[in-house]
Amino acid sequence: MSESASTGIGPDSCTAGIPKAYEPQAVEEKWYAFWEKEGCFTANADSPKPAYSIVIPPPNVTGVLHMGHVLNNTIQDILARKARMDGKEVLWLPGTDHAGIATQAVVEKTLRKEGKMKHRDDLGREKFLEHVWAWKEKHGGIIIQQLKKLGCSCDWSRLRFTMDPEYSRCVQKVFVELYKKGLIYRGKRMVNWDPAARTALSDEEVEMTETKGHLWHLKYPMLDAAGQPIPDQFVIVATTRPETMLGDEAVAVNPKDERYTRLVGTKVLLPLQNKPIPIIADDFVDPKFGTGCVKVTPAHDPNDYAMATRHHLPLTVVIGPDGRMTNEAGGGFAGLDRAEARKAVVEQLEKLGLLLKVEDYVHNVGHSQRSGVPIEPYLSEQWFLKYPAVESSTKAVEEARIAFHPDRWAKTYSHWMTNLRDWCISRQLWWGHRVPVWYKKSEIRNPKSEIRAADIYCGMEPPPDPENWEQDPDVLDTWFSSWLWPFATMGWPETTPTLKKFYPTTDLVTGPDIIFFWVARMIMAGYEFMGDLPFRNVYFTGIIRDKLGRKMSKSLGNSPDPLELIAKYGADALRFGTMRSAPLGQDVLFDEKDVELGRNFCNKLWNACRFRQMQGGEVQGEMNPALLTSDDKWILLRLDRAIREINAAYAEYHFNEIAQTLYRFFWSEYCDWYVEAAKAPLQSASPAQKANTLAVMDFVLSHTLRLFHPCLPFISEELWHGMGYSADMPEAQGGKSILFAPWPKPLSDAEKETWGLDDAADQLAAAKYDLVGLGRNWRREFNLPANKKLHFVLKPAGPLAAPEVEVLRLLLNAEQIRVDPGYNPPQGTPRVANSLGELYLPLTGLIDFAAERARLTKELEKARAEVAKVREKLDNPQFTQKVPPKVLEEHQKRLADWQAKVNQVEQSLANLPA
RNA sequence: GCGCGCUUAGCUCAGUGGAAGAGCACUUCCUUCACACGGAAGGGGCCGCAGGUUCAAGUCCUGCAGCGCGCACCA
């Protein structure tokens, strides 16, 4: 493979030429280009392989990559790459979203800044949209390029945008169908109005935030039958929004409230407007709250609107769609912003002596999720959708045909689904899918009267006589297009091969914050238009926070730029670090240290392979069972365990466990123990034995690289070729790319038997490493420098082959280990022991016996405590009778082990000088 | 108000019924021919509090407290 030459590692490269540290930049660029050129990510709809598919949650077309994207897309990429290695035909379908309000707001802001307009009306619809499209062309590809940097294996040939002409047709078709079914209707309602964006919003786009405000108590003068104020007689109303009083049309009391019964039917004088308004009785009013009198502002409060409807009160609009007071608010207030008007109204009332008191008051205020400003309840005509396929969608999740991970979100879903309210889908914007509805021009549009059905034309094509019609100016909520994403991206309404092969999709990876916005609606759209669920599993990621637990935001400046991290540490490092700290369903506290850990891990992998290369020779294919050492057998068993653990973690979407197992296996088991132990045969054994050790390394590394590939796609590919493991594989199964190499299988019983991977070998190696640990501890105890060569004596408990002793010698960094079954140590020789035998360090005179005695005493105490703990359990007949046999055996063995430890340590202590 | 999470080593977090774990940070030693983006050895936990179930509880149940997040029209 010529690709390997440039970065240094490879079968033919000379040792000196391999960089000591992994340098990801060139490697990542090279392999991404290779994958794309070779069409590795392109899904074949005609493939006989079983299908695996994911649709990307489309990022905002003009957005840039942030840490949330990194988390989300790394997970999707891991799933996609794992599925390929499992032999599936994989489609990861990418795309972007037009993100109506967000994009329009950004473009408007830019155009204002550039002095090209003050308000979009200055440009007009067509001209303005030209600017948005230009913006989209300029910025739309950025996030796609960034996803490629991250290594995402999306099928870019199928890239979709929610405003693609074909996609727009889907949106129109869906609107028309639902309109004809009567599920989409037009209505005059009190909606959530965003005065900054000047559009209606859905309920889901309103965030209730606890706000410190005030409760103003206002005095409304009572009027007598002749309409004259009764001196010193007032009705007291309390309000959090005094500016709305300019639009009051009544004061309401509870009909059962005896304090006010006699007042019902009389009138009060609305201050400032000097308008008589009635006192009405309505059950809505809670007599126990405040004074029991409520001011009624029909046009600016949903409850008041409902009351006004019941009592046939007029609607006085005093706040306009721009959040400024209208002419109806009166001369002194018209034109003021609602916040300014509040101050002005309070000031005036105070002057008139009509402000009784002001209390601090904490309450929830709806804010626009987009622009952050307080929502204004606003009466307007909008399009609404009565959700389709609700029952099947609810059941699909409740009966786990669609599985949520973690499943607790199913409860949230269920709660929302059983309390659905119609979805306000029209937006007073220009950037988006325009409502496919035309109104007859001859009908003079009177905002106070609703348009008759006969004068509405709804269709995918404009009416045949367009000159007589006028299209609805509004566009549709962005989510009204993204809810079709899983099938509209696959060629629906045609039954395309892609749709046939890959719908329903397998997994969806998204954030729980859009469970209502997107996930629930996609499920309903799936059932309504495809007659089937859109995905089988939904993985909900956590939210990425900074290390102080704060949400990442531009204003806080606590959001690192993933591309800078990639440039600094490599994409693999970013992916691995993120996965390792991202438990299922929990928020992720991101720390750059995690990425550093990822980089260090890649470097470890690089150097472990570099070490193998430095031993020379071709890839060794066959392991000769007769030549396998206990260390070989031990690492093969550890590999087997790692494969099983990783498979189990994949099955449960536990990505942090996958990363942690990879880390533990490769670093703590393979590098720390196996490689160090293997240096013994590599340095001194026969050529055949040496070759066999290399065969074990090649076996383990070639499996390891494949286990790593979904998480670390770049370095695993580089090393896969560099080490020559691709050479033996069929072209389509790893020969071309590790992408298609078969996913490692756990070792079979037959393999374990062939290679002699039994408990005895496993325990021999483990005992060796244990003894090494005990021996190494002496260096610290006795202040012996780590590089000082020492002489040990080993008194083995049984027969011990010379190569095992050589491993001990190497791991202990010993000059020599003298094996002497009959060794009779002089009093005072430090001693440790386990099942392997007794290890002595004859160093009389150099030793701090007090420290050794203290250490051994502590160890003895610990061992005795453990013995006591286990013995207590075993002495309990309840325990021995009820416990499963396996657990009983474990405890008995534990007792024996700790007892042996006690004996060993006692002997070691006895061996110290008194 | 209802619902859902979280509370384990200095920090960030794994660990869902059978001997308290990882990474980082810290201490000591080591530039030994894969790696100082490294190696070795250490120190450090009433597993939030109180009850209960069980032979056995960090793990299951019930309260309580603190923190966080959803949902909810009380002015």
Side-chain angles (χ1 to χ4, degrees):
Chain A
M1 193 86 231
S2 60
E3 276 81 0
S4 59
S6 64
T7 47
I9 209 160
D12 306 321
S13 57
C14 87
T15 302
I18 304 173
K20 271 174 77 169
Y22 173 56
E23 290 156 11
Q25 286 72 23
V27 170
E28 294 181 355
E29 211 160 299
K30 176 185 71 179
W31 285 114
Y32 204 89
F34 174 83
W35 294 327
E36 275 204 290
K37 187 182 66 153
E38 296 290 320
C40 292
F41 306 152
T42 310
N44 175 9
D46 302 323
S47 165
K49 295 180 188 174
Y52 176 91
S53 51
I54 303 188
V55 291
I56 202 170
N60 180 343
V61 68
T62 59
V64 292
L65 200 71
H66 56 64
M67 288 307 299
H69 294 126
V70 169
L71 175 64
N72 182 296
N73 289 289
T74 298
I75 289 171
Q76 291 176 70
D77 195 46
I78 288 171
L79 290 170
R81 287 176 186 271
K82 167 71 160 49
R84 276 188 204 97
M85 297 178 79
D86 280 334
K88 305 271 175 61
E89 185 65 29
V90 171
L91 169 60
W92 181 10
L93 202 158
T96 49
D97 189 290
H98 66 281
I101 297 179
T103 306
Q104 176 158 333
V106 169
V107 175
E108 283 186 10
K109 196 175 160 191
T110 308
L111 291 174
R112 274 198 300 272
K113 216 187 246 173
E114 290 171 352
K116 290 187 176 149
M117 61 170 224
K118 280 185 179 155
H119 187 266
R120 62 182 190 257
D121 288 334
D122 301 343
L123 290 175
R125 188 170 193 131
E126 272 184 40
K127 200 87 191 143
F128 179 77
L129 283 177
E130 277 174 29
H131 282 288
V132 187
W133 277 106
W135 181 272
K136 185 256 171 191
E137 289 311 314
K138 192 174 165 195
H139 299 274
I142 293 176
I143 197 154
I144 299 303
Q145 292 311 314
Q146 293 177 321
L147 288 170
K148 292 181 179 182
K149 284 251 186 254
L150 187 60
C152 295
S153 58
C154 303
D155 182 351
W156 302 111
S157 73
R158 286 180 165 89
L159 183 69
R160 294 289 184 269
F161 175 47
T162 50
M163 296 266 281
D164 286 339
E166 312 83 63
Y167 200 103
S168 296
R169 298 282 294 170
C170 296
V171 177
Q172 288 161 3
K173 178 181 162 66
V174 160
F175 186 99
V176 173
E177 276 185 21
L178 292 171
Y179 176 80
K180 295 203 165 136
K181 264 185 137 174
L183 293 175
I184 285 181
Y185 62 91
R186 188 181 151 87
K188 193 168 191 178
R189 296 280 182 85
M190 190 68 77
V191 295
N192 304 300
W193 186 263
D194 179 336
R198 291 195 210 176
T199 179
L201 298 176
S202 67
D203 296 337
E204 289 70 35
E205 287 164 293
V206 179
E207 276 178 351
M208 301 301 284
T209 45
E210 201 167 80
T211 309
K212 280 182 195 162
H214 302 282
L215 201 54
W216 284 271
H217 295 252
L218 313 181
K219 295 156 76 175
Y220 287 5
M222 288 168 60
L223 298 177
D224 62 20
Q228 294 303 309
I230 309 171
D232 296 330
Q233 296 280 311
F234 302 98
V235 165
I236 313 294
V237 294
T239 180
T240 55
R241 303 197 56 197
E243 70 279 12
T244 63
M245 61 79 62
L246 297 167
D248 281 2
E249 290 297 344
V251 168
V253 297
N254 189 288
K256 295 193 189 84
D257 191 338
E258 287 173 7
R259 292 172 296 174
Y260 302 114
T261 318
R262 61 186 179 84
L263 296 182
V264 175
T266 68
K267 292 190 171 180
V268 294
L269 185 67
L270 182 64
L272 305 181
Q273 298 286 47
N274 288 317
K275 182 166 91 174
I277 54 173
I279 294 176
I280 59 170
D282 196 287
D283 285 331
F284 166 78
V285 181
D286 177 359
K288 290 192 281 296
F289 188 91
T291 59
C293 299
V294 183
K295 61 189 272 310
V296 182
T297 320
H300 298 287
D301 183 280
N303 296 312
D304 294 5
Y305 177 72
M307 276 196 278
T309 310
R310 289 194 285 272
H311 297 272
H312 309 290
L313 299 173
L315 303 172
T316 306
V317 175
V318 292
I319 304 171
D322 55 356
R324 292 180 178 278
M325 307 310 283
T326 64
N327 289 333
E328 288 199 76
F333 305 104
L336 290 182
D337 179 78
R338 50 190 174 149
E340 296 163 0
R342 177 173 300 179
K343 280 185 205 153
V345 165
V346 170
E347 207 170 282
Q348 299 262 336
L349 288 172
E350 199 166 10
K351 264 187 204 160
L352 295 170
L354 296 175
L355 181 65
L356 180 67
K357 62 174 173 177
V358 186
E359 293 174 309
D360 287 341
Y361 192 67
V362 177
H363 61 141
N364 288 320
V365 178
H367 287 76
S368 164
Q369 198 189 45
R370 279 284 144 225
S371 56
V373 301
I375 287 295
E376 198 58 54
Y378 184 66
L379 189 64
S380 60
E381 273 201 66
Q382 303 288 348
W383 288 98
F384 294 90
L385 167 67
K386 202 180 285 294
Y387 287 104
V390 175
E391 200 189 332
S392 42
S393 300
T394 309
K395 278 191 178 164
V397 175
E398 281 175 357
E399 292 165 7
R401 284 192 299 279
I402 298 176
F404 282 7
H405 308 270
D407 65 358
R408 62 187 150 87
W409 292 111
K411 207 166 175 178
T412 305
Y413 172 87
S414 190
H415 180 256
W416 189 74
M417 288 295 287
T418 45
N419 293 281
L420 285 175
R421 285 185 298 172
D422 293 352
W423 176 11
C424 174
I425 54 173
S426 45
R427 296 289 177 274
Q428 286 63 54
L429 304 171
W430 287 345
W431 176 240
H433 300 103
R434 194 160 172 182
V435 174
V437 167
W438 286 257
Y439 307 105
K440 208 158 202 176
K441 268 183 186 170
S442 55
E443 186 72 17
I444 297 161
R445 292 186 63 190
N446 179 347
K448 294 207 171 153
S449 72
E450 296 201 7
I451 297 170
R452 290 176 313 174
D455 297 322
I456 292 179
Y457 171 93
C458 176
M460 294 188 53
E461 305 299 332
D465 53 339
E467 65 280 3
N468 297 323
W469 298 82
E470 197 179 340
Q471 190 172 4
D472 191 304
D474 290 349
V475 299
L476 293 162
D477 183 0
T478 304
W479 298 107
F480 191 83
S481 57
S482 23
W483 75 325
L484 313 176
W485 190 248
F487 50 89
T489 50
M490 293 191 192
W492 185 83
E494 305 304 321
T495 315
T496 61
T498 299
L499 198 61
K500 265 201 275 190
K501 177 82 181 171
F502 294 108
Y503 190 94
T505 66
T506 318
D507 293 330
L508 177 78
V509 180
T510 190
D513 50 332
I514 52 175
I515 190 167
F516 311 139
F517 283 107
W518 197 44
V519 178
R521 288 167 180 165
M522 273 194 288
I523 294 172
M524 290 187 270
Y527 278 107
E528 176 69 10
F529 301 107
M530 293 294 297
D532 199 357
L533 45 81
F535 30 71
R536 305 189 190 283
N537 295 287
V538 185
Y539 177 94
F540 290 105
T541 64
I543 295 165
I544 297 244
R545 299 171 179 278
D546 70 7
K547 61 180 167 184
L548 300 175
R550 303 173 303 185
K551 264 190 184 175
M552 289 192 170
S553 74
K554 277 182 190 161
S555 52
L556 276 174
N558 60 348
S559 179
D561 178 356
L563 290 187
E564 281 177 21
L565 293 171
I566 288 174
K568 194 168 165 193
Y569 300 104
D572 286 333
L574 177 60
R575 293 165 63 113
F576 194 81
T578 309
M579 282 306 100
R580 199 171 171 286
S581 57
L584 176 64
Q586 298 295 343
D587 288 356
V588 182
L589 268 62
F590 178 82
D591 189 337
E592 194 170 319
K593 286 272 181 199
D594 296 330
V595 189
E596 204 178 306
L597 176 134
R599 179 202 55 182
N600 296 352
F601 188 59
C602 290
N603 191 55
K604 191 74 177 175
L605 175 59
W606 178 262
N607 274 289
C609 287
R610 182 165 162 257
F611 174 76
R612 163 65 188 90
Q613 287 300 83
M614 289 167 77
Q615 307 310 311
E618 293 296 305
V619 177
Q620 302 294 318
E622 286 291 315
M623 296 186 287
N624 179 350
L627 295 178
L628 290 174
T629 67
S630 62
D631 305 294
D632 293 335
K633 293 175 183 178
W634 182 84
I635 196 61
L636 289 170
L637 284 167
R638 299 284 86 70
L639 173 67
D640 176 60
R641 186 178 72 175
I643 294 171
R644 289 172 199 274
E645 284 180 14
I646 290 167
N647 283 347
Y650 267 110
E652 295 181 349
Y653 299 84
H654 288 178
F655 297 99
N656 66 320
E657 277 179 36
I658 294 167
Q660 283 181 45
T661 301
L662 290 171
Y663 191 96
R664 185 207 67 218
F665 167 71
F666 194 71
W667 201 311
S668 307
E669 294 171 352
Y670 180 77
C671 289
D672 285 352
W673 288 110
Y674 180 71
V675 172
E676 294 308 318
K679 283 175 182 174
L682 289 176
Q683 282 173 12
S684 56
S686 68
Q689 179 64 61
K690 190 174 165 180
N692 207 56
T693 301
L694 294 181
V696 175
M697 285 192 164
D698 285 332
F699 183 88
V700 173
L701 287 173
S702 67
H703 279 70
T704 301
L705 288 174
R706 281 179 279 160
L707 290 171
F708 280 157
H709 178 69
C711 296
L712 307 173
F714 294 109
I715 191 173
S716 60
E717 182 80 296
E718 172 72 7
L719 292 170
W720 181 250
H721 293 276
M723 299 296 291
Y725 300 142
S726 59
D728 293 342
M729 309 294 273
E731 172 77 3
Q733 287 174 43
K736 182 199 277 182
S737 164
I738 195 173
L739 268 168
F740 303 108
W743 183 253
K745 286 198 267 293
L747 302 183
S748 65
D749 289 346
E751 284 169 318
K752 285 184 185 171
E753 199 177 326
T754 304
W755 292 325
L757 308 184
D758 50 24
D759 285 352
D762 195 39
Q763 281 161 20
L764 174 58
K768 217 160 46 182
Y769 306 151
D770 177 57
L771 200 61
V772 167
L774 293 169
R776 282 170 171 173
N777 182 258
W778 277 328
R779 291 186 184 271
R780 177 190 166 80
E781 273 319 307
F782 305 144
N783 280 325
L784 302 168
N787 59 351
K788 185 177 171 68
K789 292 283 180 183
L790 300 172
H791 287 74
F792 294 88
V793 178
L794 177 66
K795 190 174 174 180
L800 196 61
E804 306 288 8
V805 180
E806 178 58 12
V807 170
L808 282 175
R809 190 191 66 79
L810 211 70
L811 293 179
L812 283 164
N813 194 24
E815 181 75 36
Q816 188 207 8
I817 293 184
R818 184 160 62 83
V819 179
D820 182 355
Y823 185 59
N824 188 16
Q827 177 71 16
T829 306
R831 169 193 182 278
V832 291
N834 70 4
S835 60
L836 207 63
E838 299 165 49
L839 188 68
Y840 291 92
L841 182 61
L843 259 180
T844 319
L846 293 176
I847 285 168
D848 180 351
F849 289 113
E852 179 69 346
R853 182 177 297 280
R855 182 182 73 84
L856 287 171
T857 305
K858 198 176 165 191
E859 210 172 309
L860 183 61
E861 278 168 16
K862 157 86 176 154
R864 280 177 174 161
E866 292 295 336
V867 167
K869 241 161 68 179
V870 186
R871 187 164 278 158
E872 192 187 4
K873 278 192 175 181
L874 287 169
D875 285 348
N876 181 356
Q878 293 276 26
F879 176 79
T880 46
Q881 279 163 28
K882 292 194 181 177
V883 85
K886 203 181 129 192
V887 176
L888 184 62
E889 269 174 48
E890 270 173 28
H891 279 75
Q892 281 161 345
K893 181 172 187 308
R894 198 186 305 161
L895 178 64
D897 288 350
W898 279 115
Q899 190 56 61
K901 183 81 184 171
V902 167
N903 297 341
Q904 297 291 2
V905 176
E906 279 172 350
Q907 279 193 48
S908 297
L909 269 170
N911 210 52
L912 290 178

